[in-house]
Amino acid sequence: MARSTGIILVVGGISLANEAVFAPIASGGAIKVDFNWRIIPATLVAAALVGGLEQISAKMAVGVAYISLITVLFARLGNAPAPVENLAKALGYKK
């Protein structure tokens, strides 16, 4: 497995957990079963593409993977607020 593949899989896992678990709990609801399922194939495709990019330039591929990790933590992607926003709301720092 390429060095960047694990990072991209973590990005997909955070996105999936944010949609299905973090956002509903932060808003006072229960864990959702009907989440955006397209996250799973998108993660696999992204991991394959960044893994292929790693064959060309390993440093650039790992850099892109870390940039995507930072982006998914702090930016609103998909149907839910960012994981950092959900964490702040769950801990009571944001209403």
Side-chain angles (χ1 to χ4, degrees):
M1 180 164 58
R3 293 185 312 167
S4 60
T5 305
I7 301 166
I8 296 296
L9 293 177
V10 168
V11 167
I14 290 171
S15 297
L16 183 66
N18 189 44
E19 289 268 340
V21 179
F22 303 150
I25 288 176
S27 64
I31 296 173
K32 290 171 54 176
V33 179
D34 56 341
F35 59 90
N36 187 0
W37 61 269
R38 293 175 292 200
I39 294 172
I40 297 168
T43 300
L44 297 175
V45 169
L49 290 174
V50 175
L53 179 64
E54 192 165 343
Q55 300 299 318
I56 298 169
S57 174
K59 281 186 178 182
M60 186 169 77
V62 172
V64 167
Y66 278 120
I67 289 171
S68 66
L69 178 62
I70 292 168
T71 301
V72 82
L73 287 174
F74 293 105
R76 288 177 172 242
L77 303 172
N79 300 325
V84 172
E85 290 180 60
N86 290 329
L87 180 64
K89 187 186 279 187
L91 292 175
Y93 293 116
K94 181 180 175 185
K95 292 186 179 192

